[in-house]
């Protein structure tokens, strides 16, 4: 099973950008990792961040500490913390997040309904939330909808 989405294919082989699976884990454990920090990590460290589970409070604490240690070692200071807002927007399955709704106004032919939203995996919903954020380059929103069978 791949840890990556097809819309990320241009950079996942080299891991030159932070893939969605890692961004998802960063949000779960409350760490803001800058691209500069990511580039300072070794290929092995990046791969570890991709494949290491982050699905329990204990795993999240371990993931967070390991990442903070690595960044502090290579950068001199730890990465910033981000607020962990629960429930996460992607965990709410009874309505589409506002940013996703707003982004959908720019997509003429989609089939994303609340029912289909709730059927997506948490990682797929996370990706759509992230790809719909204001100020984010939203060019992968449409490819993500296509990949998830929603366009």
């Amino acid at each position: 099973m791949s840890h990556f989405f097809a819309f990320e294919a241009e950079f996942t082989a080299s891991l030159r950008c932070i893939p969605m699976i890692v961004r998802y884990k960063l949000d779960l454990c409350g760490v803001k990792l800058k691209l500069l920090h990511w580039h300072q990590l070794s290929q092995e460290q990046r791969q570890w961040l991709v494949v290491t589970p982050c699905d329990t409070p204990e795993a999240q604490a371990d993931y967070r500490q390991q990442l903070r240690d690595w960044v502090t070692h290579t950068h001199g200071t730890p990465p910033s913390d981000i607020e962990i807002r629960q429930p996460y927007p992607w965990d709410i399955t009874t309505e589409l997040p506002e940013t996703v709704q707003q982004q959908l106004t720019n997509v003429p032919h989609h089939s994303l309904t609340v029912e289909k939203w709730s059927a997506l995996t948490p990682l797929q919903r996370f990706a759509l939330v992230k790809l719909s954020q204001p100020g984010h380059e939203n060019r992968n929103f449409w490819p993500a909808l296509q990949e998830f069978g929603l366009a």
Side-chain angles (χ1 to χ4, degrees), residues 27-28 57 60 83-92:
D27 275 25
L28 291 177
Q60 291 164 2
E83 179 184 358
I84 298 175
R85 298 178 305 161
Q86 291 185 319
Y88 299 107
W90 57 88
D91 282 339
I92 299 170

Side-chain angles (χ1 to χ4, degrees), residues 24-114:
Y24 177 69
K25 293 172 186 182
L26 294 171
D27 275 25
L28 291 177
C29 62
V31 174
K32 170 69 175 166
L33 187 69
K34 296 179 180 178
L35 191 56
L36 169 69
H37 299 145
W38 178 256
H39 287 158
Q40 291 174 332
L41 296 173
S42 71
Q43 194 70 9
E44 293 78 21
Q45 290 168 326
R46 293 179 200 176
Q47 189 62 37
W48 185 90
L49 292 169
V50 168
V51 300
T52 299
C54 198
D55 53 357
T56 66
E58 296 80 16
Q60 291 164 2
D62 292 345
Y63 192 94
R64 175 185 171 84
Q65 189 58 52
Q66 182 62 72
L67 180 58
R68 290 177 62 81
D69 289 348
W70 284 338
V71 171
T72 300
H73 177 76
T74 59
H75 191 67
T77 58
S80 301
D81 294 332
I82 56 172
E83 179 184 358
I84 298 175
R85 298 178 305 161
Q86 291 185 319
Y88 299 107
W90 57 88
D91 282 339
I92 299 170
T93 59
T94 56
E95 63 186 20
L96 298 177
E98 187 176 321
T99 60
V100 172
Q101 290 179 46
Q102 182 62 37
Q103 192 64 31
L104 287 171
T105 63
N106 301 320
V107 179
H109 304 290
H110 69 84
S111 63
L112 183 55
T113 62
V114 172

Side-chain angles (χ1 to χ4, degrees), residues 89-97 100 111-126 128 148 150:
W90 57 88
D91 282 339
I92 299 170
T93 59
T94 56
E95 63 186 20
L96 298 177
V100 172
S111 63
L112 183 55
T113 62
V114 172
E115 294 76 25
K116 289 182 180 182
W117 172 258
S118 66
L120 295 172
T121 68
L123 183 57
Q124 288 172 321
R125 290 192 302 266
F126 169 83
L128 291 175
F148 304 159
L150 302 169

Side-chain angles (χ1 to χ4, degrees), residues 2 4-16 19 140 147:
S2 175
F4 307 117
F5 292 118
F7 65 81
E8 301 177 293
E10 69 183 72
F11 63 81
T12 53
S14 67
L15 291 177
R16 68 176 167 79
N140 283 328
E147 182 173 344

